Amino acid sequence: MFEAELVAIHHVGSTAVPGLSAKPEIDVLVEVSDHRAKPERDRILTDLGYTRGKDLHSGHHFYRRDVLGVRTHKLHVCCSGHPQIKRMLLFRDMLTRDASIRRQYQVLKLELEASNKGGIAEYLARKAPFIDALVGPTPD
């Protein structure tokens, strides 16, 4: 599906960090050289049960897979050099290396999960300041 475009596949998100509480969903970051085969990629991923979401940033394509109404996978597809690649990998690696940061992030995630009334958008918006403070603001 990614064929010659594929540069790397990275396990990101909370399930990629040993010792961090996580929802039972896998976040995968696929790094490609170009977004050449978008229609074909979308068709193949749809056949595999993924739904194309709106792009999270310019050039940051997003797919999700739900099973019986429960999100199981999130797939991020970005071209090499996209600032989100560096940002996602840096945050994952910081959480993996630093137990204090990992604990702080876990407490925040659990608080937000318990108090969230506005869905995933609210949850993401409320944890963004913590992430931004560590790795810098989200690039446009």
Side-chain angles (χ1 to χ4, degrees), residues 96 100-101 124:
T96 300
S100 175
I101 293 172
L124 294 174

Side-chain angles (χ1 to χ4, degrees), residues 24-26 45-53 62-75 120:
E25 62 186 39
I26 305 294
L45 285 169
T46 297
D47 290 347
L48 293 171
Y50 285 84
T51 300
R52 173 81 186 260
F62 178 73
Y63 302 83
R64 65 185 179 278
R65 184 169 189 265
D66 297 353
V67 174
L68 300 174
V70 176
R71 176 86 22 95
T72 60
H73 296 81
K74 292 186 286 190
L75 189 64
I120 189 67

Side-chain angles (χ1 to χ4, degrees), residues 99-111:
S100 175
I101 293 172
R102 186 171 54 250
R103 278 191 300 275
Q104 290 172 50
Y105 185 59
Q106 180 164 293
V107 167
L108 174 64
K109 285 177 42 150
L110 294 173
E111 283 176 7

Side-chain angles (χ1 to χ4, degrees), residues 20 28 31 36 48 54 57 61-62 89 109 115 121 137:
L20 181 61
V28 176
E31 185 177 346
R36 284 187 295 254
L48 293 171
K54 81 173 202 175
H57 304 92
H61 300 186
F62 178 73
L89 296 177
K109 285 177 42 150
S115 65

Side-chain angles (χ1 to χ4, degrees), residues 109-129:
K109 285 177 42 150
L110 294 173
E111 283 176 7
L112 295 178
E113 187 67 31
S115 65
N116 183 358
K117 302 211 183 325
I120 189 67
E122 176 187 311
Y123 173 79
L124 294 174
R126 291 179 62 200
K127 71 178 189 172

